[in-house]
Amino acid sequence: MTVTTHTRQADATSIRQAIREYRIDRIADNIQHSLGIRDAVILAIIDPTVTDIEFARLVDTPQCPESQNIMNERLTLAFTNRGVTDPQDARRYADQLAINGHGLGYAQLLAAASYIHWACGDIHSASRLAHDALDHEPACSLAAIVISALRRDIQWATTAQ
């Protein structure tokens, strides 16, 4: 391992620890400025069984095939079968993301909160937060994806009526 990788591992570890401690404020800048970190945080909230090794892989090398497989497999399983592991806990995280996103004006935090609320079946909050994200950053693709899914009535398996 190189020194850079060790530094990245420490970053992944500190980010994971902030999630475990419900301290989204400690990682808000990371989420805003790295889509890989944003996506890893979303996955860890939706599916807390993501291992520390998988999480570090997602943070360190989000574009590598192994990371893409982790995201694809876990999100597909959650979307089509299992749903969010703990929706109440996930909504709590989403609310923290939204508070920090509004306070800092960070679109990616708002978009992440929107995505998590959508996954939990709260379409009102998901829509509102996605629009808030686009108000801050009109090119925020995750917010646009959530809005598009809501307009098409695409729901997670466990939240579908």
Side-chain angles (χ1 to χ4, degrees):
M1 252 182 215
T2 66
V3 173
T4 304
T5 303
H6 283 298
T7 302
R8 287 182 181 163
Q9 290 291 342
D11 290 344
T13 301
S14 65
I15 291 166
R16 190 67 188 258
Q17 188 61 34
I19 294 169
R20 288 185 175 124
E21 294 174 357
Y22 298 95
R23 294 299 311 262
I24 296 298
D25 59 313
R26 290 185 183 162
I27 56 174
D29 287 337
N30 299 84
I31 295 168
Q32 176 64 20
H33 300 295
S34 169
L35 299 183
I37 291 173
R38 180 203 66 194
D39 293 347
V41 168
I42 290 170
L43 182 60
I45 291 169
I46 288 173
D47 181 1
T49 66
V50 170
T51 68
D52 290 343
I53 292 169
E54 289 172 321
F55 188 81
R57 165 85 57 202
L58 295 170
V59 168
D60 291 346
T61 56
Q63 299 300 321
C64 82
E66 186 177 346
S67 293
Q68 292 172 2
N69 286 338
I70 292 167
M71 290 295 287
N72 183 46
E73 289 173 14
R74 287 191 174 266
L75 284 177
T76 298
L77 179 62
F79 185 81
T80 60
N81 297 332
R82 186 178 60 218
V84 176
T85 301
D86 184 344
Q88 183 178 358
D89 201 40
R91 283 190 291 274
R92 192 165 106 186
Y93 280 114
D95 291 343
Q96 285 185 20
L97 287 162
I99 289 167
N100 282 279
H102 281 119
L104 298 168
Y106 285 178
Q108 296 304 327
L109 274 71
L110 295 168
S114 172
Y115 188 92
I116 294 165
H117 275 295
W118 169 53
C120 292
D122 183 352
I123 60 173
H124 174 73
S125 293
S127 178
R128 179 180 46 81
L129 290 165
H131 283 93
D132 290 349
L134 290 172
D135 287 345
H136 288 287
E137 189 177 313
C140 182
S141 59
L142 183 58
I145 289 167
V146 171
I147 289 170
S148 180
L150 293 172
R151 286 183 180 158
R152 289 170 176 76
D153 196 31
I154 297 171
Q155 299 176 42
W156 289 59
T158 56
T159 60
Q161 301 294 340

